[in-house]
Amino acid sequence: MDKQNQLQHVAFIMDGNGRWAKKRHLPRHLGHKEGCERVIEIYEECYDQGIRVMSLYAFSTENWSRPKAEINHLFNYLELFFKREIDRLIRDGSKVIVSGDVSQLPPKIRKTISESIKLTENCKNFTFNICLNYGGKAEILRAVKGIAEDYKNGTISLDEITENKFEDYLYTKGLPPVDLLIRTSGELRTSNFLPWQLAYSEFMFPTTTWPDFTKEEFRKCLDEFKNRNRRFGGLSNEEK
Ligand code: IPE
Ligand code: IPE
Ligand code: MG
């Protein structure tokens, strides 16, 4: 495979849970429940395909505007997910990290997540990046403040502020950039997800809702990715 089409990091905007439930005359939260089932299925496929990193948009800084009951259901399902799957993540050597401000989350989910992080901190095979209370603008602002702080206390000079260095101040420090972004359910926007990390990603917007996004659907995206011509501002191999 062309080196430019090697897939190291895939990011998902898991959208359409509500629509999946509505179509079945079910309460919205059951869409989130079913969505959690797809998370482990798609994780498994990423792992089996030799992908190194998976980022999942699970809760945005904007999602606080939803009804409290829906938010609580969502966090409960996420907590159950980690309780149920942590042994398998450990077995696989998959490291759990969180992107986002967890200090604002309910104590129960915070505890479960921090245990999962602790239990997998030395894992090296795969990174499972769950984006919780994540907002891209908030992340960039946080990085800017971190750099300003270090500049003020003299640990960084102006010349040292490079693109690489800036990445050390993001939640995704040390991770490769996103190669492929998949947003399910057909909305054509990124909704404040990983603006820095997506700068040169390939985008796909399958119309399937997230709870219906099976391994087979994902494999179709992976096949399409192989045929994308990633130029990174240069020329493709045929043009050289
Ligand atoms: C995505 O599904 C899940 C989260 C935002 C947490 P939605 O709940 O946004 O589903 P739709 O977009 O209403 O169908
Ligand atoms: C984006 O989906 C956030 C997550 C998937 C967690 P939303 O459903 O919240 O996004 P909008 O409102 O359609 O932009
Ligand atoms: Mg949505």
Side-chain angles (χ1 to χ4, degrees), residues 4 200 202 228-237 239:
Q4 296 188 330
Y200 244 114
E202 295 297 318
R228 292 276 178 105
N229 189 359
R230 299 188 83 190
R231 293 195 195 83
F232 297 101
L235 300 179
S236 58
N237 282 340
E239 291 159 329

Side-chain angles (χ1 to χ4, degrees), residues 14-20 28 32 57-60 63 66 70 74 183 185 187 209-210:
M14 308 183 282
D15 199 17
N17 294 352
R19 273 162 281 176
W20 180 91
R28 286 181 61 85
H32 299 314
Y57 207 5
F59 192 85
S60 75
N63 287 145
R66 296 191 179 202
E70 179 176 344
L74 240 169
R183 180 178 188 141
S185 94
E187 304 301 343
T209 58
W210 178 258

Side-chain angles (χ1 to χ4, degrees), residues 1-228:
M1 196 195 297
D2 197 316
K3 194 174 173 292
Q4 296 188 330
N5 285 46
Q6 271 175 12
L7 188 40
Q8 288 200 81
H9 185 172
V10 51
F12 297 90
I13 302 178
M14 308 183 282
D15 199 17
N17 294 352
R19 273 162 281 176
W20 180 91
K22 192 170 176 211
K23 215 170 114 192
R24 288 161 180 77
H25 308 286
L26 297 169
R28 286 181 61 85
H29 73 83
L30 291 181
H32 299 314
K33 182 167 187 250
E34 188 62 23
C36 282
E37 302 299 322
R38 289 299 86 62
V39 172
I40 199 66
E41 185 176 332
I42 299 300
Y43 156 78
E44 210 171 68
E45 186 65 14
C46 286
Y47 191 90
D48 291 347
Q49 296 277 345
I51 293 163
R52 307 283 303 172
V53 185
M54 161 184 214
S55 291
L56 290 152
Y57 207 5
F59 192 85
S60 75
T61 47
E62 288 73 31
N63 287 145
W64 292 110
S65 63
R66 296 191 179 202
K68 210 163 182 295
E70 179 176 344
I71 296 175
N72 286 339
H73 273 302
L74 240 169
F75 289 139
N76 284 339
Y77 291 132
L78 281 167
E79 197 196 334
L80 279 175
F81 171 86
F82 280 102
K83 290 213 157 121
R84 203 180 60 193
E85 304 298 347
I86 189 62
D87 289 345
R88 167 210 213 111
L89 293 166
I90 296 170
R91 219 181 319 123
D92 287 350
S94 294
K95 181 183 175 130
V96 175
I97 64 164
V98 176
S99 294
D101 181 6
V102 281
S103 71
Q104 307 297 316
L105 302 181
K108 256 175 72 188
I109 175 100
R110 268 172 72 183
K111 184 165 173 281
T112 306
I113 296 263
S114 62
E115 282 166 4
S116 303
I117 293 173
K118 190 100 196 73
L119 285 165
T120 59
E121 66 186 346
N122 297 317
C123 293
K124 301 224 178 332
N125 293 343
F126 190 90
T127 302
F128 185 93
N129 175 28
I130 184 103
C131 303
L132 271 175
N133 192 20
Y134 174 87
K137 287 186 175 182
E139 179 185 37
I140 289 176
L141 205 55
R142 176 177 172 273
V144 168
K145 285 182 179 171
I147 290 184
E149 200 57 52
D150 285 349
Y151 178 73
K152 200 167 71 181
N153 65 35
T155 49
I156 194 169
S157 69
L158 266 190
D159 287 344
E160 282 168 339
I161 307 175
T162 58
E163 290 183 11
N164 276 343
K165 191 71 196 164
F166 188 81
E167 288 173 355
D168 287 349
Y169 292 82
L170 297 173
Y171 291 117
T172 50
K173 176 181 176 178
L175 299 183
V178 175
D179 299 299
L180 171 62
L181 170 82
I182 298 175
R183 180 178 188 141
T184 56
S185 94
E187 304 301 343
L188 304 178
R189 55 178 171 268
T190 55
S191 302
N192 204 12
F193 190 44
L194 302 174
W196 177 283
Q197 299 85 342
L198 295 180
Y200 244 114
S201 312
E202 295 297 318
F203 284 36
M204 289 184 200
F205 299 98
T207 52
T208 319
T209 58
W210 178 258
D212 278 333
F213 191 72
T214 55
K215 276 187 187 181
E216 289 67 38
E217 295 281 322
F218 180 39
R219 284 192 202 120
K220 286 185 212 158
C221 295
L222 296 177
D223 284 343
E224 186 183 334
F225 180 80
K226 286 182 199 142
N227 296 321
R228 292 276 178 105

